[in-house]
Amino acid sequence: MLWGSQKHSVNYDKYVAPKFRPNLWDGSRWETCGSSALSMITGKRAGLIEKHLPAGRQHWTDYSATNYLRANGYTVLPVTKNSFINYRRRNGDWESPIRPDHILLCNLQIDKDASWFVLNRGKLYHNYLEESRDIYTFLLFIPWSIFLVSHPKWK
């Protein structure tokens, strides 16, 4: 997970998505968990999304996944250590800036590989499936990167 700038202040409230509902499998075939994560967010078929993988790539990188979302009208913000840790609520209390109605696209290390997950409303999804483990299992995965995703249709 990136450190990010200590000077950059993030208004996490701009990224809430109370109307978001994940697309839970569209019946198409796909090869990568990145394609299914992007499908869950955009509602597009994973098989079609996969055709947008950069030439010669077999997996979605942070750059290609976030560029795909931005090219399709989504706002994507990296969640960095500093933007997350240094967040302070207006009332002066320390609490997490991430709320259940945020959508997180997470690139996590599992064993020796990276896997893409979607986290929303306390549920962790991978390959269209809700992970049945408790949310603390999330702590076992090393985050390579985490992104907040937003779209005006979810406001």
Side-chain angles (χ1 to χ4, degrees):
M1 194 166 164
L2 301 172
W3 274 103
S5 170
Q6 291 183 342
K7 297 176 185 175
H8 183 64
S9 177
V10 176
N11 180 359
Y12 285 90
D13 294 337
K14 287 177 26 181
Y15 298 91
V16 295
K19 295 181 182 175
F20 172 75
R21 298 295 175 264
N23 173 39
L24 297 176
W25 196 55
D26 57 16
S28 69
R29 292 187 45 81
W30 74 95
E31 299 292 328
T32 71
C33 58
S35 297
S36 65
L38 293 171
S39 172
M40 289 183 67
I41 292 170
T42 64
K44 295 182 179 182
R45 298 175 65 92
L48 296 175
I49 290 173
E50 203 146 89
K51 293 178 181 179
H52 293 275
L53 268 168
R57 294 277 184 178
Q58 295 179 345
H59 300 284
W60 289 91
T61 63
D62 290 356
Y63 181 79
S64 60
T66 57
N67 276 354
Y68 177 83
L69 289 169
R70 287 182 182 115
N72 284 277
Y74 294 82
T75 302
V76 181
L77 176 77
V79 176
T80 64
K81 290 178 184 179
N82 280 325
S83 70
F84 189 75
I85 293 169
N86 295 332
Y87 182 82
R88 188 171 175 101
R89 296 294 282 181
R90 288 180 202 88
N91 63 8
D93 292 337
W94 290 100
E95 62 184 61
S96 173
I98 304 296
R99 300 194 323 235
D101 55 356
H102 281 115
I103 300 151
L104 296 174
L105 176 62
C106 308
N107 188 1
L108 307 176
Q109 180 179 343
I110 300 180
D111 297 324
K112 295 181 182 179
D113 296 320
S115 286
W116 287 97
F117 290 79
V118 174
L119 179 60
N120 178 250
R121 290 184 180 81
K123 296 180 181 178
L124 186 64
Y125 299 93
H126 183 253
N127 284 330
Y128 295 109
L129 300 175
E130 181 183 334
E131 290 292 315
S132 59
R133 304 174 193 120
D134 64 55
I135 196 66
Y136 298 106
T137 303
F138 186 75
L139 298 173
L140 298 173
F141 306 144
I142 299 169
W144 285 3
S145 52
I146 300 174
F147 302 94
L148 271 172
V149 182
S150 184
H151 195 279
K153 66 184 175 185
W154 298 331
K155 300 287 182 197

